[in-house]
Amino acid sequence: MSDVVRFCRSRSAGRRCTRPLDHPGLHRHRTIMWTDAAADAAGCPGSGRPGEPAAPLDDGWPQGRALCPVCHRFVPLEGGLLAEHTTSDEGETDAEASHRRDWLNTHGW
């Protein structure tokens, strides 16, 4: 069993749903609620912004990727810019999520 908590990936006006992954009903962030139809597009507005490789952990992670200031995912750089990406990765492994948590706890936001 994983110790990584998985939350819903829906966003509205940049707010991320704080309900569990695959929850029934409306999405929620504090007192704000929304439907799937009102959710933000999956594409991250941080795509194409300037970026630089993040400081690595002892094992080399995140392998030259940069931290997106919008969605807080580590994404590849293309010519010094954040590559096109979505705000979340449905295929993200527990190891990737744990590494991201460790990186943020070590280096901050």
Side-chain angles (χ1 to χ4, degrees):
M1 181 161 179
S2 170
D3 64 344
V4 176
V5 177
R6 302 284 182 172
F7 290 99
C8 178
R9 295 174 175 89
S10 182
R11 292 177 183 260
S12 177
R15 296 177 192 93
R16 186 168 183 170
C17 180
T18 56
R19 297 188 73 191
L21 190 61
D22 299 325
H23 67 85
L26 295 173
H27 300 286
R28 180 185 69 225
H29 180 88
R30 296 191 178 128
T31 60
I32 308 296
M33 299 180 87
W34 66 93
T35 64
D36 286 339
D40 294 348
C44 181
S47 298
R49 287 188 182 185
E52 54 187 63
L57 294 175
D58 290 339
D59 65 359
W61 193 92
Q63 293 91 20
R65 294 178 293 168
L67 179 65
C68 176
V70 176
C71 67
H72 300 114
R73 286 185 56 208
F74 287 88
V75 297
L77 291 166
E78 296 175 350
L81 302 177
L82 297 174
E84 191 73 28
H85 63 283
T86 59
T87 56
S88 67
D89 178 4
E90 292 186 30
E92 180 180 61
T93 64
D94 288 349
E96 180 80 6
S98 291
H99 268 112
R100 185 175 64 246
R101 179 188 61 210
D102 292 345
W103 191 95
L104 290 168
N105 284 333
T106 301
H107 298 285
W109 299 85

